Amino acid sequence: MLTHAPHPDRTAGHRATAEAVLALLLPYRRTLDGPQEAAPDAFDPQLRRLTAAIAAGVPIRFTLPGFPCKSPNPAKVLGHLPDEGERLALRFLDGLCARIAAVHRPGARMVICSDGHAFSDLIRVPDPHIDAYGDALRTMIRDEDLTHLELFDLRDVHGELPYDEQRARLHARYAPSLETLRSQTRGGDGETLRLYQGITRFLFEDTASFPGTRSALQRECRTRAYGVIQRSRAWGALIAEHHPRAVRLSIHPQPRRSAKFGIRLLDAPDVWMTPWHSCVLQLPDGRRQLMRRADAERLGRLVLRQGRPSHFEAS
């Protein structure tokens, strides 16, 4: 059977469109690299996926692991349900997909891969709270008419199996060994080390009560951090299997040329901060910023939405 290579002009056009889509993502890149790197060659993994979708004439598909559940620390968040932080983040992601449609006519879809059940036992959040959070996200997506978004979680893979069994299956099939992760953090893998340190810090901050000493809590959080990374890597592998042609986004900072593209959802003073580890303070000039609840309470008044705590508003 004879096959025909793509016309050079058409191939160049597909690449140019992919670079135009990348240009829409770059202002929101989450990175530890310092000054933004705008050269397209620094994002070749993303451009290859973008170009493939554009050449096929199909919607670009993004996968974004995140939106797991609210932090269990009441000093950081307003409760266990989504609030203004999630609403603004979801609206941002939907708007980003809408802007892509102006560059690539078939548009884009964002699959939010809610990963709370993957490691709820390790972060000490009850599974019913995670169910309630995920169900509220779906309601928010519907009520806000965010037509470019969809939600994916362990329930879409294993149905109604008990969550402990779902986690066991995920871990057994996809998780790297503990020895592999320890060798990476101790052997100079900067990305894994930063992730390990960031997750350890979050686990420490999210522990509202602990019967032992501060140093004992730190040791326990370091142990749990390895488990969270194992499950997170497992969740990433499962996502890749279920969405093999998607462009992989991340809520964590990512280096140049990484297979994942780190993306900021909202303004925050810390590159690791997310809506589910904080709350929103609306400033007098209309800007919104993520911060710990304890800090936002000192700067503004509580605003309710549909009878539930939503955010703070500075006077």
Side-chain angles (χ1 to χ4, degrees), residues 67 84-94 265-266 275:
F67 292 84
E84 184 74 353
E86 280 84 358
R87 189 176 75 87
L88 292 173
L90 293 174
R91 289 177 67 180
F92 160 72
L93 293 171
D94 188 76
L265 303 177
L266 295 170

Side-chain angles (χ1 to χ4, degrees), residues 113-245:
C113 304
S114 183
D115 48 4
H117 286 303
F119 37 67
S120 61
D121 56 327
L122 295 166
I123 60 176
R124 310 286 167 78
V125 175
D127 284 309
H129 282 195
I130 294 173
D131 279 338
Y133 180 88
D135 292 342
L137 283 179
R138 287 182 170 88
T139 299
M140 191 176 281
I141 289 169
R142 184 189 67 238
D143 291 351
E144 294 280 329
D145 197 27
L146 305 178
T147 57
H148 303 90
L149 307 184
E150 58 188 86
L151 207 64
F152 175 84
D153 63 26
L154 268 181
R155 290 178 288 185
D156 295 303
V157 181
H158 297 303
E160 299 303 317
L161 283 176
Y163 285 121
D164 284 341
E165 185 174 344
Q166 293 195 37
R167 282 186 284 272
R169 290 188 179 194
L170 174 71
H171 192 105
R173 180 166 181 180
Y174 300 105
S177 70
L178 186 58
E179 292 74 19
T180 296
L181 290 182
R182 283 179 171 157
S183 67
Q184 289 174 350
T185 57
R186 296 168 182 171
D189 184 330
E191 182 180 350
T192 302
L193 179 60
R194 284 193 298 270
L195 181 62
Y196 169 71
Q197 291 170 336
I199 291 175
T200 300
R201 176 165 66 89
F202 274 129
L203 291 173
F204 185 84
E205 293 174 352
D206 282 359
T207 304
S209 61
F210 184 76
T213 64
R214 183 182 177 89
S215 59
L217 175 59
Q218 288 174 329
R219 287 193 298 273
E220 194 227 26
C221 289
R222 285 194 288 269
T223 299
R224 281 194 283 145
Y226 278 119
V228 170
I229 296 173
Q230 283 180 294
R231 303 271 183 85
S232 179
R233 295 267 179 93
W235 182 236
L238 182 148
I239 291 168
E241 186 174 281
H242 282 257
H243 305 280
R245 288 176 289 279

